[in-house]
Amino acid sequence: MHYTPLNKMIREAVASGVKEIVLNNVLGQRFIGNGLRGDAKITINGVPGGDLGMFMSGPECEIFGDAEHAPGNTMDSGALFIHGSAGDAVAHSMRGGKVFVKGNIGYRGGIHMKEYEDKRPILAVGGTSHAFLGEYMAGGLILIFGIGQESAVQDRGIGSGIHGGEIVIRGDVNEKLLGVGAKKVAFNEDDLKRLTPVIKEFCERFGIDPSSFLDTNYSRIIPASSRPFAGKYTWE
């Protein structure tokens, strides 16, 4: 089925009051959940295409498979639970809700994430990520566990241009991998207490024992400045 009639059917079902939708044999259909509002749950068996849950506000999507690029793009609230891996730009410009990925993600995960008032988006990844994680991040939380990996993040540009929010990565992070405007600070007991509910929720969602992750063996990366590129411009 082409994604246009599929998404029309989903929107009409949710508008009529349907609370649970199951999609089987999904293979690359884009924009699933795009702009949906409410408390419906969509179960996706297969591989959804790009921009899964874009502009979504409220629903939950659980994906039993991988996801292509930019799931959670500009998502306002709700949740995406991806039992596989995902492509580039996961949680692009996300402004609320949560995106949990059991496997790995590609490049520029969490780019332009932001938060407003009581909305604080969360991107949590069980595996690892590629370069420019949290690029231009303005708010929210990125949490990388690196399960089964020698190092949770090995690519450069972490937090390049970050001016809000935080990136928390399991284990030590070589400062040479940090991008412009990012700095590494200690992860302490207060941070662990604050993030314990997220760690437990992620692990329980994917059937992982959380006890191995409830310690302070993390690196916390935050903005070095609220205006990391201020010196790059010429002012008259």
Side-chain angles (χ1 to χ4, degrees), residues 138 163 171-172 179 205 232:
H163 53 281
D172 187 36
R205 169 63 62 169
K232 302 294 183 182

Side-chain angles (χ1 to χ4, degrees), residues 197-210:
V198 179
I199 296 170
K200 285 185 174 180
E201 182 183 4
F202 181 90
C203 290
E204 289 167 4
R205 169 63 62 169
F206 296 122
I208 300 166
D209 182 0

